Amino acid sequence: MGDRRSEKHHAIFIPYPLQGHLIPSVHLTIKLASKGFTITFINTHSIHHSITTSTTSTTDDPFAEARKSGLDIRYATLSDGLPLGFDRSLNHDQYMECLLHVFSAHVDEIVGSLVKYDPSISCLIADSFHVWPLMISNKYKLVNISFWTEPALILNLYYHMDLLKKNGHYDPIEKYDDIIDYIPGVRSIKPTDLMSYLQATNTKTVSHSIIRKALIEVTKSVDIIICNTIQELEPHTISTLNQTQPFYAIGPIFPNEFTRELVSTSLWCELDCTRWLDTKPPGSVLYLSFGSYAHTSKHDLEEIAYGLLHSGVSFVWALRPDLVSSNDTNALPIGYEDRVKDQGLIVPWCNQKTVISHPSVGGFLTHCGWNSILESVWCGVPLICFPLLTDQFTNRKLVVDDWEIGINLCERKDWVEREEVKKKVKELMQEKSDELRVKIKKVKRTLEDALANGGSSQRNLDQFISQVMVKTKEMK
Ligand SMILES: O=c1ccn([C@@H]2O[C@H](COP(=O)(O)OP(=O)(O)O[C@H]3O[C@H](CO)[C@@H](O)[C@H](O)[C@H]3O)[C@@H](O)[C@H]2O)c(=O)[nH]1
């Protein structure tokens, strides 16, 4: 490869092609570019197509505006191995199989041609769920940086799957009533608070293969991990991870101006809710969203819908058309939208940051996606938790049990019932609102302090950049 590296870092950034991963990846790219990095950001054709068809922008390059403001961000696209029209939501496992087995060949091709024509490229930043970064970074002699988009706790738990198995807490969980207190960096956790993949009875799925390959084989061997978390929120876990690998908490990773994004990141058209929210009293509206990826059953959706209706609380519901399935895009009870028309606004997708920063929003019923939690804390909006998949069960524990900034939607797992929904909605919006707001303000302060000058995330970002410099020199 010769002496192709200058002092300025040039990184190829390949996010995981899912909404909840793309958003923090784009904002991280801007952060790094603002610190002097050149970034070549690569989306899949499918993600690119969704972004460009969801925005009103006239350009095909989502980073065009960012570039105008002086940031050196280049943009490319590649195939994920499937045709554009393939329904990735409906055929989730096939999509994941492709990312596991086929995507790496496309990555190899594009990275190969990029480094060939641009010898300044010295680093690869890839989402930790990708299975190929070790192979690619070795082949092209790039510093291998992994971007972890969930709490540090989650990665640490995945790292200890062997220990969990040895103790009867994974594959299969034999002792549900135990308290797990033997994982380094984790004081204690119940088996029911583990990620859904660790609680699964069938561990032979494609998602499990990705986790084993990406997190255990690959991420454990990367040069550096950067994470969208905050050191003061997870000090014990982070210092434990740091004993074996450079791990930098640099979150929360948001746009510079929270509600004004320089780059379009949305895969769906955002409907404007502001005018509707403007008519509501401060703190009176509940916002609901289950993120971009998880699904619910029709039964749960109906119970939530009726619980909301009977609570009488005003709401904005970002209800993804494929929430139950992209084969059943009208999953609400017949006539529901007419019945709630003065009480609630139902949209397929919105700009969540804009909605939850509106003064009329006083609560967030969430599936506990990590981005949603960080955004809600930033806006001081307490949460009702309804975890559905993956890290969301563990994130719920952080929100409800550890930080006490939210409540559970259902006390009995896997059982959603309209009376309980009604009760919990009223509890969050009325009885417990003041108490939760006081607690969430404290956590919000932790986030603000981390991002302030001299704060932990700023310091960690600077240390990360110095470490990249060291690693780059080592590779020369
Ligand atoms: O109508 C909407 C709904 C969501 N969002 C945004 O979409 C993102 C959703 O992210 P998140 O809350 O993390 O949920 P998921 O999309 O489900 O994210 C996936 O990725 C996360 C980060 O890895 C994980 O924590 C989740 O469990 C996983 O499902 C957030 O930035 C929201 O602001 C919108 O802008 N408009």
Side-chain angles (χ1 to χ4, degrees), residues 147-212:
F147 179 38
W148 181 243
T149 57
E150 298 176 4
L153 170 64
I154 310 290
L155 186 64
N156 192 41
L157 288 168
Y158 280 131
Y159 274 4
H160 291 95
M161 280 157 78
D162 283 354
L163 201 50
L164 288 163
K165 187 167 171 61
K166 204 169 110 196
N167 284 276
H169 297 126
Y170 169 61
D171 196 18
I173 298 185
E174 286 155 353
K175 296 175 273 181
Y176 263 101
D177 297 326
D178 283 4
I179 296 289
I180 299 168
D181 58 2
Y182 50 81
I183 308 256
V186 183
R187 284 216 170 83
S188 70
I189 188 163
K190 291 189 245 158
T192 45
D193 289 332
L194 292 172
M195 298 81 86
S196 63
Y197 300 123
L198 298 187
Q199 296 189 48
T201 42
N202 175 11
T203 59
K204 305 275 178 286
T205 68
V206 60
S207 300
H208 286 87
S209 303
I210 291 177
I211 286 166
R212 276 191 292 267

Side-chain angles (χ1 to χ4, degrees), residues 19-21 23 129 149-150 266 270 287 289-294 318 348-353 367-373 375 389-392 395:
Q19 179 76 89
H21 293 250
I23 292 173
F129 279 104
T149 57
E150 298 176 4
S266 194
E270 293 171 345
Y287 169 68
S289 161
F290 304 125
S292 63
Y293 182 62
W349 193 256
C350 62
N351 185 317
Q352 179 168 299
K353 295 191 195 77
H367 70 312
C368 296
W370 186 233
N371 298 297
S372 290
I373 292 172
E375 291 163 12
L389 195 74
T390 175
D391 59 332
Q392 296 150 22
N395 300 346

Side-chain angles (χ1 to χ4, degrees), residues 24 64 90 116 200 348 352 420 436:
L90 190 63
K116 187 168 166 200
Q352 179 168 299
E420 193 178 16
L436 290 165

Side-chain angles (χ1 to χ4, degrees), residues 306 332-341:
Y306 281 118
L332 282 171
I334 294 166
Y336 183 80
E337 294 198 48
D338 285 339
R339 289 184 71 184
V340 295
K341 82 170 180 305

Side-chain angles (χ1 to χ4, degrees), residues 385-398:
C385 298
F386 180 52
L388 295 167
L389 195 74
T390 175
D391 59 332
Q392 296 150 22
F393 295 92
T394 320
N395 300 346
R396 181 220 65 82
K397 174 201 185 288
L398 295 173

